[in-house]
Amino acid sequence: MKKSKKIYLDYASATPLEKSVFSVMSKALRGEFANPSAIHDLGVHCKNMIEVYRKTIAQVLNAHSDEIVFTSGATESNNLAINGIVKKYAEDFFRSSGKVTRPLKNLPHIVTTNIEHASVLEVCKYLEKNKLAEVAYVPVEENGIVDPKNIKKALRPETILVSVMYANNEIGTIQPIREIAKEIRHYNKLHNTKILFHIDATQAINYLDINVEKLGIDMMSFNAGKIYGPKGIGILYIKRKTPISKIIFGGDQERGLRAGTENLASIAGFAEALKITEKIKEKEVKRLKKLQDYFIREIISKTDNIFRSSGEVSQTIKNSQFCEIIINGDRENRLPNNINVTIPKIPSDLLVIELSARGIMVSAKSACKSGEEGESYVIRAIKPEANQETGSIRFSLGRMTKKEDIDFTLKSLKEILTKLKKWYT
Ligand code: PMP
């Protein structure tokens, strides 16, 4: 019952390169290899090419070219956004007060949520632990979405930064970015503060509006590896006049904000990937939405022998014979390519391995945290009652996903669950 073809349903982890991205990159790798800081002809040409790509990217975001900083990926972009703002605050504080003693009298305050990516949460934990900042982790609601009112409540006069992800990498829920931006603007006006708003748009970039002006944000991180571009290249959009310090020291590339020789071929690939993503976005959202609806409908009906379903699709699906399937995250406000389900009692890693043995690639939780024991912290945040035994799996669809792939996946899942039922219930 094995299928030789691989069915890849892990697009939230990584995407394959688009053909045209590959050709743009290979051309750049061969022809534009000189150091863009060199003053000879080829160096100047490389520098100019970077500026061409930067402009292309800035235009897609409705930003200025000088607001785009290239990094090694979304992890670095998130680190630069958070650490860079806190560092600048401390530098300005020590410079103006002449004080050299720690801790700062009024520690800067950061507001974030409890389901951010590790590249945000770990920076926040580090800053907290070392008394460099205080952090409020605003909990999301049961549907995986944060209430802007709760962000507002967490703001204080010492708050310097709010960092909220645009869409979650595990459960695909979309955060109300414009509403949060509005609350921050309102607070700033009322209290004469200058709280900045950073968003991690890594998962959102494929499907949502990324017009920075309309979103009302100050900083935005994302990478190329999630949009069918190369891995190891990211961007931090930084609105003009944002007070930020560098966190990497060396040369003065990227207007002094990010030292290191520019990764020209990847930058070229990034620009091409982003152009394609924007071009096909609307159509792809519609196509995937249909597949997502189909997946959710079918996961109930196709597993009917095992799962007796009742109630709404978006709610817990009870099954008297076996267990229950829970669709995690808000049914409407979620990325069109994400289906995250909990099948209590069945270890999720086992499901991932069983599916993989049948040629189907999915994830149990964020790849960055897949080595950690136990339930994903995102699932725990929306389901505090979850325990170590409770697993969840993420199916993330993409450009190559077809209806047949979903049919085969659900058929395989049914077989696997029927087999595992004997041992786990
Ligand atoms: N933020 C989110 C939401 C992500 O999904 C990821 C990648 N899994 C990252 C940040 C980190 O991206 P990178 O691997 O480019 O550092």
Side-chain angles (χ1 to χ4, degrees), residues 40-276:
H40 52 65
D41 249 20
L42 198 50
V44 172
H45 170 69
C46 288
K47 183 119 215 137
N48 290 341
M49 286 315 291
I50 290 178
E51 294 317 310
V52 170
Y53 300 132
R54 195 191 304 278
K55 193 166 178 196
T56 303
I57 291 170
Q59 277 170 348
V60 174
L61 306 187
N62 189 26
H64 303 285
S65 283
D66 60 4
E67 295 176 318
I68 307 296
V69 173
F70 290 113
T71 66
S72 65
T75 296
E76 189 190 322
S77 299
N78 287 341
N79 271 259
L80 175 58
I82 301 169
N83 249 334
I85 295 297
V86 171
K87 205 164 156 277
K88 176 78 175 136
Y89 174 88
E91 285 161 8
D92 288 351
F93 176 84
F94 290 127
R95 195 177 305 119
S96 63
S97 68
K99 288 196 178 111
V100 287
T101 49
R102 282 174 193 275
L104 298 177
K105 205 167 117 246
N106 285 327
L107 279 184
H109 182 245
I110 298 170
V111 174
T112 188
T113 80
N114 60 347
I115 62 163
E116 298 301 308
H117 188 262
S119 54
V120 166
L121 290 179
E122 293 300 320
V123 182
C124 289
K125 280 193 230 159
Y126 166 84
L127 293 171
E128 253 187 326
K129 200 171 155 212
N130 291 284
K131 305 234 175 314
L132 295 162
E134 283 177 352
V135 185
Y137 302 90
V138 179
V140 293
E141 306 297 305
E142 241 177 75
N143 62 356
I145 295 176
V146 70
D147 185 342
K149 295 269 172 303
N150 290 336
I151 295 282
K152 181 184 164 189
K153 271 189 223 156
L155 300 178
R156 310 198 311 224
E158 309 83 53
T159 308
I160 58 168
L161 177 69
V162 175
S163 181
V164 174
M165 70 200 321
Y166 198 168
N168 184 266
N169 45 309
E170 290 191 35
I171 53 175
T173 47
I174 301 166
Q175 302 303 341
I177 298 303
R178 289 178 204 213
E179 287 84 343
I180 296 170
K182 215 163 129 191
E183 294 292 359
I184 296 170
R185 272 200 305 276
H186 189 239
Y187 187 95
N188 277 341
K189 223 175 181 177
L190 218 66
H191 298 84
N192 200 21
T193 46
K194 287 187 179 137
I195 302 168
L196 299 165
F197 188 23
H198 164 250
I199 65 169
D200 176 357
T202 311
Q203 293 290 336
I205 215 87
N206 262 316
Y207 309 113
L208 306 180
D209 185 3
I210 47 164
N211 182 325
V212 291
E213 195 74 34
K214 282 198 205 153
L215 287 169
I217 52 163
D218 300 291
M219 286 179 288
M220 177 164 80
S221 311
F222 60 98
N223 66 20
K226 304 280 201 259
I227 54 168
Y228 306 79
K231 292 168 189 66
I233 184 86
I235 274 173
L236 181 64
Y237 155 78
I238 310 173
K239 195 176 173 173
R240 281 178 179 169
K241 296 192 182 144
T242 299
I244 187 165
S245 289
K246 62 185 165 193
I247 58 167
I248 291 179
F249 292 81
D252 57 5
Q253 291 93 345
E254 297 297 299
R255 294 181 298 112
L257 264 176
R258 206 289 184 166
T261 306
E262 298 90 336
N263 186 351
L264 195 151
S266 293
I267 290 172
F270 203 152
E272 176 69 12
L274 190 61
K275 259 195 317 196
I276 298 172

Side-chain angles (χ1 to χ4, degrees), residues 78-79 117 133 144 166 183 189 209 276 279 297 301 306 315 335 393 399 405:
N78 287 341
N79 271 259
H117 188 262
Y166 198 168
E183 294 292 359
K189 223 175 181 177
D209 185 3
I276 298 172
K279 199 167 141 205
R297 239 186 3 254
S301 65
I306 320 168
Q315 287 161 13
L335 296 176
I393 42 174
R399 286 182 197 164
D405 300 331

